[in-house]
Structures are given as structure tokens and as C-alpha cells.
Amino acid sequence: MDAVLSRIERALEALSRREAACDLCPRDCRADRTAGRTGICGIGPRAGLASALLHYGEEPVISGAAGPSGPGSGTIFFTGCNLKCLFCQNHQISWGRVGRTVSDVELAEAMLDLQARGALNINLVSPSHVVLPALRALVMARPRGLLLPLVWNSNGYEKDSVIERLAGIVDIYLPDLKYVSSELSARYSEAPDYFERASTALQEMYLQQPDLVIDQNGMARRGMIIRHLVLPGCTEDSLAVLEWIARSLSPSVGLSLMSQYHPCHQAPPELRRGLRAEEYGRVLSRARELGFECLFAQPDVFPEGDHLVPDFGRERPFRWKAG
Ligand code: SF4
């Protein structure tokens, strides 16, 4: 008897009841997605698959330290998103509709294919609005031999009542914590309640997977890594994010502090520049002062042209030798 499969089936049963008047995320659109209607995320009953690839650019414990010569993270990028970040580097798939609508079987096949190609894990990117297709695909894939750790790589704008259902299913939580300030989250992501909802969701994730467990090959097997992208001119809010994590969760939680901001999409005038080294340095120093033990940092500055923005219009959205 597969205990994980039983949990997935129970989660599906509970969450499926919410699809006809969708309240699966804090937007509470109440759209009848079973009838093909869509809410803010723009997605009906089936998932949109933008890309399924071996990803070499996640944190080393997720992608592997070997880079493009290693196996990589089995990453599935979904179309649509419940946040509306003006600066989104994945805007072609989050705001736009790049990707194809797939059946649950096709999604299961994509997971199994990544495993067959040697992926280290199954890494679901922005999965919150497609939690049901993802779970239905897992129900099909597990009896066919899918065994890889499951990574929930989300924007953090989620309901704790949904995350509770993922206990014992998700092995590694990899959520963003983008803002504390409701002014910033309203202006940049159309979500004034972002922190209120994300902080509650992250607390539930932390309850389930508090400790990052690394195997003998240096790969994460379970736990939690919180990502924070430092935005130009927003270092005070970044410091508030770190203070909250240290105080309300623990400095022992995994923290990935990102400097890779690059102006994209509809970035407003004040965000139309790269992050300065001193801005990132200030936030990184504070993270060290606060005692974050499991800290993933990026270079102080990304040279122009060396940013990590993918192009989902290409067969291989990233510039490394992706699988
Ligand atoms: S998942 Fe989509 S339809 Fe459902 S509440 Fe969120 S944004 Fe609205």
C-alpha cells in the first residue's frame, strides 16, 4: 500500500469539491472551473504546460552542484499564475498564454519522462492554481513508478487550507516570500493581502517540513527553502522579510536570497534598473547577522546580458544545455 498515494487521493477528494466555485487560492474568484470558466489565474480544469525540462539553475541542493553536466531538476513550468507581478521574468507564461493545455495523463507522462531522463526531483513551478491537475497526474504517475521527491515551487500567495492537504505529499517547499509591505504587494503584484496570506501559508509549510534534509549526494530530500528576490529600491522591505522569517519561523530554515532581478514585462519606472551591489550586500549582511545557517546567495551583481531570464518562445527557454 502506497501511503503517499492514499494521501494524494484524500487531498484530491477534499480539494476537488472547491473547483466548481474556485476558492483554491486567496483570490477567491468562485469561477466554475469544472465548466471551463476561468478566474484571475486564467486556467480552467486542465493545466497549461509551458515547459518540462531539466533545470540546472535552481539552488545546488535542488538542481545539483554539477551544473549543466549534471542531471538537473525535473522542472515543470505551468501556464497562468494567480499573482500579477508587473516585473515577472516568466511573463510569457504567467501573464501570456505560452504553453499548451494538457490532459492529466500527459502531465503524468511528463513527470515520468523527466524521471526517466535522470531528474533529481519533480519541481512544480507556480503550481498553486493547478493543484488539482498536478494531484491527478501524481495519482497516475506514482503507480507507474514515480518516486522522485516532489518540490512545490510557488509564489507563496496560497491558502493554508490547501497547503494543509499537501502534508505528506510535498517533500520540499520552495516558496517565495516577496513582500511584507501591502503597499508594495498591491502596486507590484495586485495583491494587497500578499503578506497576510503568504505568511500563513509559509507557517503551515514550515510545520510540515521544518528541516532541510540533505542526502549523501548533497541533494535536498525534504524540507523548506524560502526564496526572496531583492527588488531595486526595496531593501527596507527585504529586511522586514528576513526579520519575519527569523522571528516567526526560524533562522535555521533554508533561505535563498536572490539578486537576479532584471527589468521585465511592465516593470514600473522605479523598477527599470538592475539591483545595485550595495542593495544586495546590505540584505545579505543582515541575513548573516540574523543567523541564517542554510543560506543560498547569488553574485552581488549580475553583469548585463548575464541575467537568468528565460525565453519560453524557444524550445529551450534557458541558455544552458538543458535537456
Ligand atoms: S486558483 Fe485561479 S480561479 Fe481559483 S481562486 Fe485562484 S485565481 Fe481564482
Side-chain angles (χ1 to χ4, degrees):
M1 182 64 175
D2 181 344
V4 177
L5 183 58
S6 304
R7 285 187 206 113
I8 298 169
E9 286 171 340
R10 283 200 299 275
L12 252 182
E13 193 188 341
L15 295 177
S16 294
R17 292 188 210 115
R18 299 167 60 170
E19 197 182 13
C22 187
D23 69 345
L24 288 167
C25 89
R27 297 290 188 188
D28 278 334
C29 300
R30 307 281 166 181
D32 184 356
R33 294 175 67 188
T34 62
R37 303 225 164 72
T38 56
I40 288 176
C41 61
I43 299 297
R46 289 180 171 188
L49 180 62
S51 191
L53 50 77
L54 295 173
H55 196 307
Y56 307 105
E58 306 282 42
E59 290 76 5
V61 295
I62 302 292
S63 275
S69 60
S73 173
T75 307
I76 294 180
F77 288 91
F78 291 109
T79 305
C81 186
N82 63 343
L83 271 188
K84 295 289 163 208
C85 302
L86 295 178
F87 53 83
C88 181
Q89 68 168 23
N90 293 348
H91 62 93
Q92 292 162 307
I93 62 174
S94 58
W95 285 76
R97 287 290 168 264
V98 172
R100 63 188 176 91
T101 302
V102 287
S103 67
D104 302 333
V105 179
E106 286 174 292
L107 196 49
E109 298 283 357
M111 294 175 181
L112 288 163
D113 179 58
L114 287 167
Q115 178 170 274
R117 289 160 64 195
L120 296 160
N121 43 54
I122 296 297
N123 178 358
L124 304 180
V125 181
S126 293
S128 314
H129 61 297
V130 286
V131 59
L132 291 174
L135 291 173
R136 291 193 296 259
L138 286 168
V139 163
M140 294 172 189
R142 278 195 74 89
R144 293 175 59 190
L146 184 73
L147 283 171
L148 293 176
L150 186 68
V151 182
W152 188 260
N153 181 343
S154 73
N155 60 34
Y157 191 51
E158 307 180 78
K159 280 193 169 169
D160 54 337
S161 62
V162 174
I163 301 300
E164 278 168 14
R165 296 288 177 183
L166 302 180
I169 299 171
V170 170
D171 298 287
I172 301 155
Y173 284 109
L174 188 59
D176 294 337
L177 186 57
K178 292 175 182 290
Y179 320 94
V180 166
S181 159
S182 58
E183 243 168 73
L184 291 183
S185 64
R187 175 165 168 75
Y188 295 150
S189 298
E190 291 182 27
D193 61 344
Y194 175 83
F195 177 69
E196 184 191 326
R197 306 314 295 251
S199 57
T200 312
L202 265 63
Q203 279 170 319
E204 172 58 31
M205 293 176 192
Y206 183 69
L207 278 179
Q208 292 176 27
Q209 296 288 7
D211 301 314
L212 192 60
V213 176
I214 308 287
D215 69 14
Q216 69 277 15
N217 299 316
M219 300 308 306
R221 299 300 299 184
R222 61 176 192 272
M224 180 169 177
I225 301 171
I226 301 172
R227 282 178 169 168
H228 176 69
L229 174 68
V230 184
L231 295 174
C234 299
T235 49
E236 288 303 324
D237 201 55
S238 291
L239 299 180
V241 165
L242 300 187
E243 306 275 353
W244 180 83
I245 298 170
R247 193 179 59 246
S248 302
L249 302 181
S250 165
S252 67
V253 74
L255 174 68
S256 180
L257 210 48
M258 303 165 81
S259 62
Q260 69 181 63
Y261 176 81
H262 181 76
C264 286
H265 193 44
Q266 300 171 11
E270 71 273 21
L271 292 185
R272 290 208 163 272
R273 67 166 171 90
L275 186 69
R276 295 186 185 119
E278 58 268 28
E279 291 175 308
Y280 184 68
R282 185 172 172 225
V283 180
L284 186 58
S285 298
R286 186 66 185 133
R288 292 191 172 121
E289 278 168 21
L290 286 167
F292 284 98
E293 297 157 8
C294 182
L295 180 59
F296 301 91
Q298 289 186 321
D300 280 358
V301 184
F302 274 81
E304 195 56 37
D306 196 23
H307 54 79
L308 303 174
V309 178
D311 180 356
F312 287 95
R314 300 179 353 178
E315 193 187 331
R316 294 185 170 184
F318 294 90
R319 281 172 295 167
W320 55 71
K321 184 181 70 61

